[in-house]
Amino acid sequence: MELLKKWLGHPEDIYNLLRFKMGGYRAVMPRVDPDSLGCGLRTCFRYLNQTSRSFAAVIQALDGELRHAVCIFYLVLRALDTIEDDMTISLDVKVPMLHEFHSYLYQPEWKYMESKEKDRQVLEDFPTISMEFRNLSKVYRDVISDICHKMGVGMAEFLEKKVDSQHEWDKYCHYVAGLVGIGLSRLFSASELEDAVVGQDTELANSMGLFLQKTNIIRDYLEDQMEGREFWPREVWSRYAKKLSDLAKPENIDMAVQCLNELITNALHHVPDVLTYLSRLKNQTVFNFCAIPQVMAIATLAACYNNKQVFRGVVKIRKGQAVTLMMDATNIQAVKAIMYQYVEEIDQKIPSTDPSSNKTQQIIASIRAISLPSSPMASRHHYSPIYLSCAMLLAALSWQYLSTISKATEDYVQGGEN
């Protein structure tokens, strides 16, 4: 019944879940026909589906050869990330591997069979991935190899180094996510589906990655604490607690929320760059690929802002809400309207006593100025009494059916990847 109550409060979720389930998903994430692929690529797309909750569907929706290039790019970085995450590999082995990983792309027989990580298949069958990498056009290979090299060096740098300053927070997020945004942007331009400026403007591309990564780091505070990882910058949290773990203590909840709000305010400074970047995109599949994670991120930040639950459990946006965002975020005006909606939501929750309140209001004002919708948003957020009645009836009749929505959709909308 709790699920039913949630849906009754958000009738648009019911409508969009049904619309998505009954074929609307094809507009934003059509799937690749496996029979159209060679054996090696078919294997790579299978690994993509096994290792990515968030990106598998939208990668497969990309046009032509760009789809294959981005799939291989993802798997190469997933293999690199698996090496970094594997705590059973000693540092004297791991550091050289991270530095040299880009060279393994040109070694047909290289593979690693000793990983204990859940995604170890991308290392154990790296020869298949590297073979398909070598089958790509040189313009794609050069981008993937270059980003892989830079990311490996950056990962090695932070293996024994904690994130202290906000500058180092930006630097860490650049290595693990900003470089992904830069690499993807260069692939978009190399495919000629997007103009050269998209790949050349590394500052905007970097912001795309930082916004997503900071959102993940902020949301995942408790999970990271439980697994012994710390990514919140000491420069910020040390103003609110002696140890980062202290923020999870009930007696520190007020200070913890103030720290959370400051980090969310920091992340919001990337939104203007995100909107500028998205406004340059011409290809519909590339736009969907880039825009969907960004609107998920702003919705997640709005859910986390001033929310004590970040320190007690998991904060997630509703499945229906996520599906609505996926189906709506198909053009720049819609994305601006979504950004406007969620910064307004944050603005309504700013405590007057919050130490960051002025800074939060300032960045919200900046975002509001560039995302102010040119047309009324009523069609997205206001529903007639007849519609509401029908939606509520539909909810009562179909809530149990909808709770079994396809696993692919559920994994995508709940995904938290970069």
Side-chain angles (χ1 to χ4, degrees):
M1 286 302 294
E2 286 303 313
L3 183 62
L4 177 58
K5 289 177 183 177
K6 284 183 181 180
W7 281 343
L8 288 174
H10 301 278
E12 70 277 16
D13 287 2
I14 296 288
Y15 173 71
N16 284 309
L17 277 166
L18 276 176
R19 189 159 63 105
F20 190 87
K21 183 74 173 175
M22 296 174 68
Y25 64 87
R26 296 190 188 95
V28 289
M29 51 183 202
R31 298 185 67 80
V32 172
D33 177 10
D35 295 335
S36 68
L37 306 173
C39 181
L41 267 178
R42 193 157 57 242
T43 299
C44 287
F45 276 99
R46 186 173 78 249
Y47 291 155
L48 175 67
N49 285 311
Q50 291 171 352
T51 60
S52 170
R53 291 175 300 164
S54 297
F55 288 129
V58 283
I59 287 175
Q60 291 177 83
L62 290 168
D63 284 335
E65 62 182 16
L66 178 61
R67 177 196 308 132
H68 301 159
V70 174
C71 173
I72 301 305
F73 185 42
Y74 176 88
L75 292 177
V76 168
L77 298 187
R78 172 57 63 193
L80 179 66
D81 192 55
T82 301
I83 292 291
E84 183 206 22
D85 286 345
D86 196 330
M87 303 304 291
T88 67
I89 305 174
S90 63
L91 288 181
D92 60 337
V93 172
K94 184 183 291 190
V95 171
M97 284 181 72
L98 291 174
H99 278 278
E100 298 300 322
F101 199 86
H102 67 288
S103 67
Y104 303 152
L105 293 166
Y106 291 97
Q107 298 177 30
E109 304 303 320
W110 187 89
K111 58 185 175 182
Y112 187 75
M113 305 298 293
E114 299 174 32
S115 177
K116 303 299 188 293
E117 290 290 298
K118 61 181 177 63
D119 293 331
R120 60 185 176 273
Q121 70 265 37
V122 294
L123 292 171
E124 294 172 350
D125 193 20
F126 198 74
T128 297
I129 297 169
S130 68
M131 176 185 70
E132 292 303 328
F133 163 82
R134 293 188 297 276
N135 286 339
L136 295 172
S137 300
K138 185 177 185 300
V139 287
Y140 298 130
R141 295 199 308 270
D142 289 348
V143 172
I144 295 171
S145 177
D146 180 52
I147 296 298
C148 182
H149 186 199
K150 291 174 179 174
M151 187 176 290
V153 171
M155 286 176 168
E157 178 183 336
F158 277 90
L159 278 178
E160 295 185 288
K161 177 180 177 182
K162 289 192 174 181
V163 178
D164 284 329
S165 66
Q166 293 186 66
H167 172 73
E168 286 181 336
W169 197 36
D170 282 355
K171 189 176 182 182
Y172 171 76
C173 291
H174 164 74
Y175 282 140
V176 300
L179 282 172
V180 179
I182 291 169
L184 286 168
S185 300
R186 290 169 60 187
L187 293 177
F188 299 155
S189 294
S191 72
E192 299 185 353
L193 293 175
E194 298 297 344
D195 293 336
V197 67
V198 172
Q200 293 166 353
D201 196 334
T202 56
E203 185 175 346
L204 292 188
N206 187 60
S207 276
M208 292 282 285
L210 263 61
F211 186 57
L212 300 183
Q213 186 65 20
K214 288 181 178 182
T215 298
N216 290 342
I217 288 173
I218 290 166
R219 179 200 60 199
D220 293 341
Y221 165 84
L222 194 61
E223 178 184 330
D224 287 337
Q225 281 293 301
M226 293 172 66
E227 297 186 12
R229 299 188 299 255
E230 294 191 353
F231 298 115
W232 284 25
R234 178 186 294 271
E235 180 184 343
V236 175
W237 65 254
S238 62
R239 292 198 288 270
Y240 301 92
K242 291 183 178 179
K243 295 186 297 184
L244 182 56
S245 58
D246 288 345
L247 295 178
K249 296 178 179 178
E251 64 268 26
N252 297 327
I253 192 62
D254 291 338
M255 298 296 281
V257 169
Q258 290 178 5
C259 182
L260 168 70
N261 291 347
E262 181 173 344
L263 290 180
I264 290 176
T265 299
N266 177 294
L268 288 174
H269 281 83
H270 297 292
V271 172
D273 280 354
V274 167
L275 292 174
T276 301
Y277 181 98
L278 293 174
S279 69
R280 291 176 173 173
L281 300 179
K282 301 185 303 182
N283 180 272
Q284 187 65 59
T285 67
V286 171
F287 186 91
N288 294 349
F289 176 87
C290 295
I292 289 172
Q294 302 294 333
V295 296
M296 297 284 191
I298 192 68
T300 300
L301 290 183
C304 289
Y305 186 82
N306 210 49
N307 189 348
K308 297 176 182 179
Q309 186 62 24
V310 171
F311 303 95
R312 297 169 176 167
V314 181
V315 175
K316 290 183 178 180
I317 59 177
R318 303 181 309 276
K319 292 180 189 177
Q321 180 183 6
V323 166
T324 297
L325 291 171
M326 289 167 61
M327 298 186 72
D328 283 356
T330 56
N331 62 78
I332 188 60
Q333 290 306 319
V335 170
K336 285 182 176 182
I338 291 167
M339 293 289 188
Y340 182 92
Q341 171 195 344
Y342 286 110
V343 296
E344 288 295 298
E345 185 177 314
I346 292 172
D347 189 46
Q348 294 300 312
K349 296 193 289 185
I350 299 175
S352 59
T353 56
D354 190 274
S356 303
S357 60
N358 288 339
K359 291 182 178 178
T360 310
Q361 288 166 345
Q362 287 170 10
I363 185 56
I364 285 177
S366 298
I367 297 169
R368 186 186 287 128
I370 61 175
S371 62
L372 190 66
S374 56
S375 58
M377 296 170 63
S379 60
R380 279 174 42 82
H381 302 292
H382 301 283
Y383 300 87
S384 69
I386 293 176
Y387 173 82
L388 287 170
S389 298
C390 292
M392 292 172 71
L393 177 61
L394 178 61
L397 293 173
S398 62
W399 69 273
Q400 188 168 9
Y401 164 73
L402 285 171
S403 68
T404 62
I405 190 171
S406 69
K407 188 174 186 304
T409 303
E410 180 175 345
D411 285 347
Y412 181 81
V413 302
Q414 289 188 354
E417 293 177 282
N418 304 327

